[in-house]
Amino acid sequence: MIAQILFIIILAAAIYLFSKNVGKIRRNILLGRPADRSDNPALRWKTMAKIALGQTKMVKRPLAAVMHFFIYVGFIIINLEVMEIMIDGIFGSHRIFSKPLGGLYDLLIGGFEFLAILVLTACVVFLCRRNIVRLKRFSGTEMTEWPKSDANYILIIEILLMTAFLTMNAADHKLQLLNFGHYIKAGSFPVSSLLNPLLPDSAAGLELIERGCWWFHIIGILAFLNYLPYSKHFHILLAFPNTYYSNLHPKGEFTNMASVTGEVKAMLDPSFVPETTGEPQRFGAKDVTDLTWKNLMEAYTCTECGRCTSVCPANITGKLLSPRKIMMDTRDRITEVGNNIDKHGKDYTDDKTLLDNYITREELWACTTCNACVEACPVNINPLEIITELRRYAVMEESQAPASINNMFGNVENNGAPWKYSAADRFNWADAGIDK
Amino acid sequence: MAEMAAEGKQPEILFWVGCAGSFDERAQRITRDICKILNHVGISFAVLGTEESCTGDPAKRAGNEFLFQMQAMANIQVLDAYEVKKIVTGCPHCFNTIKNEYPGLGGNYEVIHHSQLIQQLIDEGKLKAEGGESFKGKKITYHDPCYLGRGNNVYEAPRKALEILDADLVEMKRCKSNGLCCGAGGGQMFKEPEKGNKDINVERMADILESKATVVAAACPFCMTMLRDGVKHENKEQEIQVLDIAEITVRANGL
């Protein structure tokens, strides 16, 4: 009875804390500017099913895809077992699904065990890739101590959870064989039975191990749940809405700024009166709140895998730009803005901005807008949109483009071409004759 | 176009030449070759000549939305005045901008890239690869322009134009959606690169050399410049030719 009450308290506290932190992230995301992504729900569901659920963009790197798939499927399916553990915890029952499910239960538990060992293996492989093989993709200027530790913590926690799960099953199995107490014969244990020789033979010792692992496993899961909002691992949740709200236009298409259209029309036709919509907004983005909520959602979705940076032509050739850093900077800055609001109230502003305090001009101007980063992201994050918005601010609000870019602007404006040629010479190419 | 309009004629298609195609000496040759193809198959076409102006693409990618929209609206006025319905262009940047970004500003046209036109003509049997230079057995590789490939998912049309040659087509390590940029996009064409350890076109050269191709097929005037600079950088001008899809088609047909 005491165990049940304790369990319910821990569960309630974990859920409360988690919802509170998720609420904060939601609030932070909604600090962004509006963007309409409500069109074409059928295609959106399809995109989400394909890219988040089906993980179709992962297959480009087969080993990572297979390993990740193990962890992903393991995570989702082992959750069925977690459901049973929750119910047992609340009602003080033991393996409550075993009776109603009968033979299917054995099959399920056996299946979970295979998944658990696959997850465990995948986590070990991932740890090796990060810490022993040291794949280039997992390093870079933005991969400082915290992002690196974060990745390792996630893998270690998962290994611990799976180990506890298998040890718990092994002890349970042994107790079942002893016909001890309420340990009814339930489940099959193809993997964990290999651990049997390592466990004690006394019922008391086994029960201690079984209960210990049970508590460690479930408290571990609840703690992990509460780690998510602080971690890159949050992608397991946001990958779904983030792909649902994907950009459905061709990647080459950049947004046309409606605020500019009004002004340009007024310039070309003096009788045109642009619609005024309240407070005039900044052109482009200086800080994170000038970005759209979708940009901010993407920042929280990023799991720092570095596929974007590894295909970025600027980064490959040694430039400072790293698309992953753009996303991480955006996330860190919006989190900082959110924390400021919590501490100092809604209207507080510090002296920092995304541009300059986080992302430098040098990074900004190294981008070739080639869309390789956008293509590479397994969850459809678009770092290019943020880069473009920052450029728009630098150019239209500050007139701070590199001198040669300003020359190009001048040429387009005066000659209708990015080079210094006269518009009158535009047709000279035909002078050489076509039919020669 | 003005002449045709004065005569009361409406061409089947407008050939949007683009700034590079108009002013860049190397790209002018591609422009003339696209005209040769159009003439060869008997498509009536027009160009805007001095009435054409930059689409605004480089301004937009570099963040100058004002300048972009000014250019776009002026161009839309000209195109609409001539009641243009269909446009072909030799530049993936013009293609992307007019096709995707002009509709939002009131300019709606059917826009195709010249590689798509060539593919259509091949499919219809109007274009073959006979009567000219033989590319048989030559190692040819194709460099995907970002704004044609990733930007607009046009990967097959240019390859179709090469398949007809009976050449030895090889893909580079980084191709199609994984294709590496030539380094010109996003306004980079008009500025010095940021500090780094090499230029992007030199990085791309490694892929080209690895493919052992003797002909690099391009489909964008900016890629053309970058790839040729890359070939020069490696002193491979004798061994490796960079040719546009249109030039290859013209040569293969002896136009």
Side-chain angles (χ1 to χ4, degrees):
Chain A
M1 194 62 199
I2 295 170
Q4 276 169 264
I5 292 168
L6 189 66
F7 180 80
I8 291 169
I9 291 172
I10 294 172
L11 182 65
I15 291 172
Y16 169 76
L17 207 65
F18 177 70
S19 345
K20 203 177 139 207
N21 283 325
V22 169
K24 262 191 199 172
I25 289 178
R26 185 171 179 272
R27 190 267 324 262
N28 290 353
I29 289 172
L30 294 177
L31 291 173
R33 284 184 183 171
D36 185 17
R37 294 277 166 99
S38 61
D39 60 318
N40 212 338
L43 182 58
R44 294 189 176 283
W45 283 110
K46 214 176 118 192
T47 309
M48 184 176 92
K50 236 171 70 184
I51 294 176
L53 204 63
Q55 303 195 0
T56 45
K57 284 181 92 178
M58 289 291 287
V59 293
K60 270 193 181 171
R61 307 200 189 216
L63 177 68
V66 170
M67 294 290 142
H68 183 269
F69 188 73
F70 288 161
I71 300 182
Y72 164 70
V73 172
F75 170 81
I76 291 184
I77 298 183
I78 295 175
N79 268 333
L80 294 173
E81 172 67 13
V82 175
M83 239 164 66
E84 182 184 44
I85 292 176
M86 298 267 188
I87 296 172
D88 282 347
I90 293 168
F91 297 103
S93 49
H94 186 73
R95 295 197 179 267
I96 191 157
F97 290 165
S98 61
K99 270 220 180 105
L101 292 180
L104 181 64
Y105 186 80
D106 293 0
L107 203 71
L108 280 176
I109 295 292
F112 296 154
E113 290 214 333
F114 280 115
L115 283 172
I117 198 74
L118 287 178
V119 171
L120 226 155
T121 316
C123 287
V124 172
V125 172
F126 280 168
L127 271 178
C128 293
R129 280 157 63 92
R130 281 180 183 271
N131 301 289
I132 298 169
V133 186
R134 290 180 189 272
L135 287 192
K136 189 165 176 284
R137 178 151 69 87
F138 301 126
S139 61
T141 49
E142 68 275 22
M143 296 309 280
T144 50
E145 200 150 324
W146 162 246
K148 281 190 171 168
S149 311
D150 185 19
N152 286 333
Y153 294 157
I154 294 161
L155 294 169
I156 291 166
I157 295 170
E158 281 170 2
I159 289 172
L160 290 176
L161 289 177
M162 290 305 116
T163 312
F165 175 71
L166 289 171
T167 316
M168 172 186 90
N169 274 359
D172 194 317
H173 182 209
K174 257 187 141 169
L175 287 162
Q176 291 179 19
L177 295 174
L178 292 172
N179 284 323
F180 180 79
H182 60 270
Y183 291 93
I184 41 152
K185 283 225 160 42
S188 65
F189 305 93
V191 177
S192 63
S193 53
L194 298 172
L195 295 173
N196 282 2
L198 300 173
L199 298 178
D201 293 321
S202 78
L206 286 170
E207 196 183 16
L208 192 72
I209 291 172
E210 195 275 333
R211 283 293 87 193
C213 287
W214 190 93
W215 279 101
F216 179 85
H217 179 243
I218 192 63
I219 291 178
I221 283 176
L222 295 175
F224 197 38
L225 182 74
N226 276 288
Y227 179 64
L228 293 184
Y230 298 97
S231 159
K232 77 187 190 95
H233 208 48
F234 205 55
H235 82 286
I236 61 172
L237 299 176
L238 277 186
F240 294 89
N242 196 63
T243 47
Y244 180 85
Y245 292 118
S246 290
N247 172 26
L248 300 178
H249 295 265
K251 286 198 223 16
E253 178 181 344
F254 287 24
T255 53
N256 288 330
M257 293 170 69
S259 50
V260 169
T261 311
E263 300 216 9
V264 171
K265 277 191 177 155
M267 210 153 23
L268 294 174
D269 171 13
S271 63
F272 177 83
V273 183
E275 285 174 51
T276 41
T277 46
E279 230 178 293
Q281 273 185 334
R282 202 176 255 166
F283 290 123
K286 183 185 191 189
D287 204 356
V288 278
T289 44
D290 302 325
L291 297 168
T292 70
W293 62 266
K294 181 61 178 42
N295 299 137
L296 301 179
M297 176 186 268
E298 291 179 353
Y300 278 113
T301 307
C302 175
T303 195
E304 303 164 10
C305 73
R307 282 168 174 78
C308 51
T309 295
S310 73
V311 295
C312 171
N315 191 276
I316 290 172
T317 55
K319 277 97 183 168
L320 212 52
L321 175 64
S322 162
R324 170 173 55 192
K325 178 173 177 291
I326 301 287
M327 301 318 299
M328 290 168 70
D329 284 345
T330 303
R331 180 200 58 206
D332 292 348
R333 174 59 188 158
I334 189 64
T335 304
E336 184 177 54
V337 169
N339 290 345
N340 280 339
I341 291 175
D342 290 337
K343 259 187 237 152
H344 309 285
K346 195 162 65 68
D347 299 316
Y348 179 84
T349 45
D350 55 12
D351 292 331
K352 290 197 206 162
T353 53
L354 180 65
L355 182 62
D356 295 331
N357 290 105
Y358 285 80
I359 298 170
T360 61
R361 313 267 164 163
E362 189 179 337
E363 292 163 70
L364 217 56
W365 291 108
C367 175
T368 68
T369 71
C370 76
N371 263 306
C373 55
V374 185
E375 175 71 36
C377 181
V379 289
N380 283 358
I381 291 171
N382 188 334
L384 177 52
E385 230 173 68
I386 297 177
I387 295 172
T388 307
E389 287 303 323
L390 295 171
R391 281 186 176 186
R392 283 173 173 174
Y393 175 79
V395 168
M396 291 192 283
E397 292 278 359
E398 299 183 311
S399 305
Q400 289 279 0
S404 43
I405 289 288
N406 279 331
N407 284 341
M408 180 266 285
F409 290 154
N411 288 331
V412 171
E413 205 172 336
N414 299 318
N415 316 329
W419 299 286
K420 222 178 171 103
Y421 294 111
S422 161
D425 294 337
R426 205 177 175 95
F427 199 30
N428 291 358
W429 58 267
D431 294 349
I434 294 163
D435 293 321
K436 271 191 266 181
Chain B
M1 183 73 212
E3 284 169 35
M4 273 192 146
E7 291 167 23
K9 285 195 234 162
Q10 186 66 22
E12 271 176 68
I13 199 162
L14 178 92
F15 174 26
W16 183 275
V17 180
C19 300
S22 301
F23 293 114
D24 181 278
E25 268 182 48
R26 182 69 185 79
Q28 284 178 346
R29 277 161 47 193
I30 306 169
T31 303
R32 288 193 284 269
D33 279 355
I34 295 175
C35 292
K36 282 181 194 167
I37 295 169
L38 289 164
N39 282 334
H40 172 67
V41 297
I43 293 179
S44 77
F45 72 98
V47 295
L48 287 176
T50 51
E51 288 183 277
E52 192 186 277
S53 187
C54 174
T55 59
D57 163 81
K60 190 176 182 85
R61 307 308 140 194
N64 197 336
E65 182 73 7
F66 268 106
L67 186 52
F68 160 71
Q69 292 201 10
M70 296 279 286
Q71 288 297 116
M73 284 186 203
N75 283 324
I76 290 169
Q77 266 183 3
V78 174
L79 290 168
D80 284 352
Y82 288 122
E83 292 175 17
V84 170
K85 302 275 179 304
K86 192 169 176 183
I87 297 173
V88 63
T89 175
C91 173
H93 295 264
C94 298
F95 165 73
N96 174 66
T97 307
I98 303 175
K99 176 174 167 284
N100 296 323
E101 291 163 356
Y102 278 22
L105 300 170
N108 293 288
Y109 320 99
E110 184 193 342
V111 192
I112 55 169
H113 181 254
H114 71 287
S115 65
Q116 293 173 306
L117 178 75
I118 292 172
Q119 184 205 349
Q120 280 170 21
L121 293 171
I122 290 172
D123 289 347
E124 290 165 10
K126 289 180 186 162
L127 252 187
K128 296 188 173 66
E130 45 190 40
E133 185 182 335
S134 169
F135 286 88
K136 197 170 174 188
K138 270 198 180 162
K139 251 196 180 23
I140 304 182
T141 192
Y142 170 67
H143 167 87
D144 287 278
C146 303
Y147 279 84
L148 198 58
R150 273 189 297 271
N152 287 288
N153 288 318
V154 179
Y155 297 111
E156 291 313 315
R159 287 179 168 80
K160 264 272 172 64
L162 296 173
E163 276 164 19
I164 197 172
L165 301 173
D166 198 18
D168 179 12
L169 299 183
V170 285
E171 290 289 358
M172 281 183 266
K173 186 178 65 187
R174 291 176 274 200
C175 64
K176 298 185 181 169
S177 64
N178 295 329
L180 182 76
C181 176
C182 70
Q188 301 296 337
M189 183 75 191
F190 311 101
K191 64 187 262 297
E192 285 303 310
E194 312 300 315
K195 207 161 87 291
N197 52 33
K198 65 171 115 160
D199 284 343
I200 295 171
N201 55 348
V202 174
E203 169 80 17
R204 187 51 160 166
M205 271 314 290
D207 294 350
I208 292 173
L209 293 177
E210 198 192 314
S211 77
K212 300 216 160 50
T214 53
V215 175
V216 181
C220 166
F222 298 101
C223 296
M224 172 60 77
T225 304
M226 288 307 209
L227 296 172
R228 286 181 70 227
D229 285 351
V231 171
K232 259 183 236 161
H233 181 269
E234 301 284 343
N235 289 319
K236 294 278 177 195
E237 288 148 291
Q238 301 305 316
E239 294 95 326
I240 301 173
Q241 275 184 298
V242 188
L243 294 171
D244 189 89
I245 297 279
E247 293 177 299
I248 293 174
T249 306
V250 164
R251 287 191 187 193
N253 287 282
L255 304 178

